Amino acid sequence: WVKTEDVSKVKYAVLRHLPVFLQKTSTGESDSQLTNSVYLDNDQLELYHGRLDKGPGALALRLRWYGAGDPSIVFVERKTHRDKWTGEVSVKERFMVKEKEVQQVMNNTYPIAKKKDQMVRGGSTQGEADDWECLSREITQAISSKQLVPTMRTQYMRTAFQIPFDATVRVSLDTNLCMISERGYDVKNMQVWHRDPDQTIAHNEITRFPHAVLEVKLELRGDSAVPPKWVTDLQNSGLLYEVHKFSKFIHGCATMLPEYVRAVPYWVDDASLRASIIASGGGRILVRSDMTEKEKDQTKVKHPGSGPGANQVYDHLLPFGDIEDNKTTTAVGRTSVSTAASRGIIINRKIPSDKDQGVNFYNDVDNDDDQINDEEETCMGWLFPFCSPYNNLSIIAPTSVQKIEPKIFFANERTFLHWLHAGITLYTISAGILVFSDEDESDWAHWYAMALLPVSLGFCLYALHVFLWRADRIKTRIPGRWDDPRGPYILGGVIVLILLINFFTKLAQIWNYERTEL
């Protein structure tokens, strides 16, 4: 998200490196273009809940057109979600139809075979025609079988930044964003598939989003595998507020169709959105602001300012906090403390004024020392990461930095069990030494076994400590290292020291024995 007052600064920062992609309009070329998208769904909001749950293969179907007037050309688009950890990527596919053909697409009477023949005669290859046929059939059949109807519409002014014929870095900035309900009017057998712009819209049929939405798309290959420095600098400028998996479609449905949704996204609890949601009549999806302390205690939730369920887990992802911890006036861009964030740190500081910032949007000055907390790391914190003072601070999690795969949780459990196995093995060895040692060597064996016992206990405690610490970092998606580079060296060094002492002690005993025999 970008605050409305920061839009000009962000545009200036991007324009220093990318030109504006001029849009063709009815009056000529413009640096921005009105974009309308009508999303389809059924009475159960099946597609909404599928996209919210991010299930494999979750669909989003929409009808998109550009410009302020009535549409003449409409793009029928399908977005399919794929889990990255499976090696697949989400895809967006679309085909173009005339406005008068939208009714045929919605009623599954679109002449696909006829259009395919026209494509082949028009110069398209057979492969392209086959791909188009497959896509159009799948979309029309999905609309028919799932009984999809116009549900929600997004409208915004889009400014695109891109070097012509170079897709390495593409940036889009959506301003004046609003979501409009497409429910409550007669579609007349799909002859009408969007609201009449001349009709008045009720207050609960539109929600105006208070921020602009910025999206940066990178296609990095080979030598360009690292994002350009200016992109990283923009992320660290303090002007951007990252919101993980934000969706205009999901936000619009949750806000304007609160009686139909079974779950809502975590970002609706953000303090900066509360006023716009209430103004649109969606207050029922929000936590009550007038709850008494007794009611808060009775709810038994970790964050009283957030809704129930998963919203409690992702409360730390809200860029402006919730009603219990409102940061609308003090929040800094989510990536403005990247150095500290890589260590799981967030510093609560006021937004620098324009006078302090000047034209330095890129944080060229190295202020790493200012971003680190004044509290020094203790010896216990150095040895055991879970005891570090940095873990007592709030968490900022730019989740695009760390991707979570389901197997990570099981890998953490396996590592925990391996460390426990090592500790139990050491305990078994020390117990065996105590039991089976000779009477002549009972004193030394006793001390040697007693030296191994606390080490074995240390292995078990360390295993539990690191397991809890790593599980917390995985759950909150803190960027940075999730391994402990010091603990294994220290424990391994202690074992080596004990073995060396035993080795040299035995060597001394053999030397004394040989001298006695001689």
Side-chain angles (χ1 to χ4, degrees):
W1 298 345
V2 179
K3 286 186 174 181
T4 305
E5 59 266 29
D6 293 334
V7 168
S8 297
K9 295 179 182 179
V10 172
K11 282 187 176 181
Y12 172 73
V14 177
L15 280 171
R16 294 178 61 182
H17 303 275
L18 292 179
V20 173
F21 188 82
L22 296 178
Q23 311 283 352
K24 293 183 179 180
T25 64
S26 57
T27 59
E29 292 185 339
S30 175
D31 62 348
S32 60
Q33 189 174 37
L34 184 65
T35 303
N36 291 272
S37 300
V38 174
Y39 288 85
L40 309 179
D41 211 334
N42 51 29
D43 292 339
Q44 293 76 35
L45 294 183
E46 177 183 347
L47 301 192
Y48 163 84
H49 291 102
R51 298 294 292 186
L52 181 62
D53 295 337
K54 289 294 182 291
L59 297 178
L61 295 177
R62 67 189 179 197
L63 306 172
R64 170 169 287 188
W65 73 96
Y66 303 95
D70 292 332
S72 57
I73 299 298
V74 179
F75 294 92
V76 183
E77 299 184 352
R78 179 182 68 180
K79 299 177 70 174
T80 307
H81 173 74
R82 304 292 184 192
D83 291 327
K84 286 187 177 180
W85 65 271
T86 62
E88 300 179 305
V89 294
S90 300
V91 294
K92 182 176 73 173
E93 305 160 292
R94 69 178 187 176
F95 64 93
M96 184 176 63
V97 298
K98 297 179 181 179
E99 193 277 335
K100 62 182 180 181
E101 297 173 333
V102 173
Q103 180 186 12
Q104 297 175 335
V105 173
M106 298 294 292
N107 291 331
N108 198 16
T109 58
Y110 187 60
I112 297 177
K114 179 181 177 181
K115 294 292 183 179
K116 179 182 178 181
D117 293 338
Q118 293 178 357
M119 289 181 61
V120 174
R121 289 196 300 268
S124 300
T125 64
Q126 187 63 39
E128 293 174 344
D130 291 341
D131 292 340
W132 178 89
E133 179 186 20
C134 180
L135 174 63
S136 57
R137 288 193 184 278
E138 289 178 354
I139 291 179
T140 54
Q141 290 175 3
I143 294 175
S144 176
S145 61
K146 296 180 181 293
Q147 299 180 346
L148 304 181
V149 296
T151 299
M152 198 277 300
R153 172 177 168 184
T154 62
Q155 187 178 77
Y156 48 85
M157 295 296 295
R158 167 160 290 186
T159 304
F161 305 87
Q162 180 182 353
I163 297 176
F165 310 107
D166 184 1
T168 303
V169 181
R170 292 176 294 161
V171 178
S172 64
L173 180 63
D174 300 334
T175 56
N176 300 328
L177 171 61
C178 62
M179 293 84 164
I180 304 170
S181 174
E182 290 291 342
R183 296 286 180 92
Y185 60 88
D186 186 9
V187 297
K188 299 179 181 179
N189 193 27
M190 296 304 172
Q191 292 182 10
V192 179
W193 51 275
H194 65 86
R195 282 187 176 273
D196 185 351
D198 297 328
Q199 297 294 326
T200 303
I201 299 178
H203 73 92
N204 61 346
E205 294 177 335
I206 183 172
T207 180
R208 293 174 173 84
F209 198 70
H211 308 297
V213 178
L214 181 80
E215 184 177 6
V216 180
K217 297 180 181 179
L218 303 175
E219 292 186 9
L220 306 176
R221 300 184 182 89
D223 297 335
S224 301
V226 179
K229 182 179 182 300
W230 72 266
V231 174
T232 304
D233 291 339
L234 178 61
Q235 290 177 312
N236 297 337
S237 64
L239 303 175
L240 310 183
Y241 298 81
E242 182 180 0
V243 182
H244 184 57
K245 298 295 185 181
F246 174 72
S247 167
K248 305 180 186 74
F249 167 56
I250 292 176
H251 182 79
C253 289
T255 302
M256 292 177 296
L257 302 173
E259 64 274 13
Y260 293 98
V261 298
R262 298 192 302 271
V264 296
Y266 71 90
W267 62 76
V268 299
D269 293 320
D270 191 271
S272 65
L273 304 184
R274 188 174 184 88
S276 64
I277 294 176
I278 294 176
S280 304
R284 62 186 297 174
I285 68 175
L286 300 175
V287 176
R288 286 170 47 204
S289 59
D290 58 349
M291 292 177 61
T292 63
E293 293 298 328
K294 182 178 180 180
E295 290 176 327
K296 293 178 182 179
D297 295 338
Q298 289 175 348
T299 57
K300 297 180 180 181
V301 296
K302 183 179 179 182
H303 304 285
S306 301
N311 287 24
Q312 293 288 314
V313 178
Y314 297 111
D315 177 80
H316 62 283
L317 297 180
L318 301 178
F320 297 97
D322 54 37
I323 57 175
E324 292 291 321
D325 185 21
N326 194 329
K327 302 176 183 177
T328 52
T329 59
T330 59
V332 184
R334 296 185 63 82
T335 57
S336 64
V337 288
S338 57
T339 302
S342 66
R343 301 178 62 181
I345 306 170
I346 178 174
I347 288 79
N348 291 323
R349 58 185 177 91
K350 294 184 179 180
I351 301 176
S353 63
D354 295 339
K355 180 178 179 181
D356 297 333
Q357 281 186 316
V359 295
N360 181 27
F361 298 130
Y362 297 96
N363 195 21
D364 293 330
V365 181
D366 188 2
N367 292 326
D368 291 348
D369 294 337
D370 298 335
Q371 294 180 342
I372 304 302
N373 195 291
D374 293 336
E375 185 176 358
E376 296 293 335
E377 182 109 35
T378 62
C379 180
M380 285 297 294
W382 186 86
L383 177 59
F384 299 111
F386 203 68
C387 300
S388 174
Y390 297 123
N391 288 289
N392 297 328
L393 300 175
S394 302
I395 296 170
I396 184 172
T399 49
S400 62
V401 178
Q402 292 285 13
K403 301 299 182 182
I404 304 299
E405 300 178 5
K407 61 182 181 182
I408 289 181
F409 296 95
F410 301 109
N412 188 32
E413 293 179 1
R414 287 196 302 271
T415 305
F416 171 58
L417 294 177
H418 285 317
W419 278 103
L420 283 182
H421 181 266
I424 293 173
T425 301
L426 286 176
Y427 172 81
T428 303
I429 293 174
S430 62
I433 293 175
L434 286 175
V435 172
F436 298 105
S437 59
D438 297 334
E439 293 183 359
D440 297 338
E441 301 178 350
S442 60
D443 292 339
W444 167 246
H446 174 78
W447 287 108
Y448 181 60
M450 292 304 296
L452 285 179
L453 281 176
V455 175
S456 63
L457 179 61
F459 267 75
C460 296
L461 294 177
Y462 174 79
L464 178 61
H465 148 71
V466 173
F467 171 75
L468 295 175
W469 170 74
R470 186 176 291 124
D472 180 71
R473 294 179 72 88
I474 292 174
K475 183 186 71 173
T476 54
R477 305 187 182 206
I478 295 178
R481 298 185 62 166
W482 291 352
D483 63 325
D484 178 20
R486 298 184 288 260
Y489 284 108
I490 295 174
L491 292 176
V494 171
I495 292 180
V496 171
L497 178 63
I498 294 176
L499 293 177
L500 286 176
I501 293 175
N502 181 55
F503 172 75
F504 286 112
T505 302
K506 289 295 183 181
L507 190 63
Q509 290 179 353
I510 294 174
W511 175 259
N512 293 332
Y513 175 78
E514 290 182 350
R515 291 184 59 184
T516 303
E517 290 295 325
L518 293 176

